Amino acid sequence: MSGAATFVPTPLLLSDSAKARLQALIEEEGKPELKLRVYVTGGGCSGFQYGFDFAEAAAEDDTLVEFGEVALVVDPLSYQYLVGSTVDYEEGLAGARFLIQNPNATTTCGCGASFMV
């Protein structure tokens, strides 16, 4: 049997498509300090819903997760619901959007915008 393995939990992951889209949006705005804020609010058909916004700076109690030239910002309340999730970006017939793949969600709505833990 080998020794104990080291595990460093990742608070959030960012897919390659989300990283590319975020980088493109930052370049369009001409503001390299922009970060994608990911948050959770009450509501939606399953109890909680995901939200996305841009932030130029992180608050003192935010978690900043950097991925090279792009970064995600998460407030402390939302963080507990998003640990281990992947932020993705998809384009399809229904439009283009960022979305969350959340392993903590026990139920999600059909469009994936809301969830229950």
Side-chain angles (χ1 to χ4, degrees), residues 5 10 12-13 20 24 26-27 30 33 36 42 46 53 55 71 80 82 86 88 96 98 102-103:
T10 303
L12 282 170
L13 300 172
I26 290 168
E27 289 172 8
E33 71 279 0
L36 183 64
S46 295
D53 198 3
Q80 63 187 324
L82 296 171
T86 300
D88 197 6
F98 285 101
N102 188 343

Side-chain angles (χ1 to χ4, degrees), residues 7 12 22 24 32 37-38 53 55 62 64 69 72 75 78 82 94 100 111 116:
F7 174 73
L12 282 170
L22 184 52
R37 179 173 290 283
V38 182
D53 198 3
D62 282 339
L64 178 66
E69 296 181 16
L72 301 176
D75 66 86
S78 300
L82 296 171
I100 304 284
C111 67
M116 182 182 300

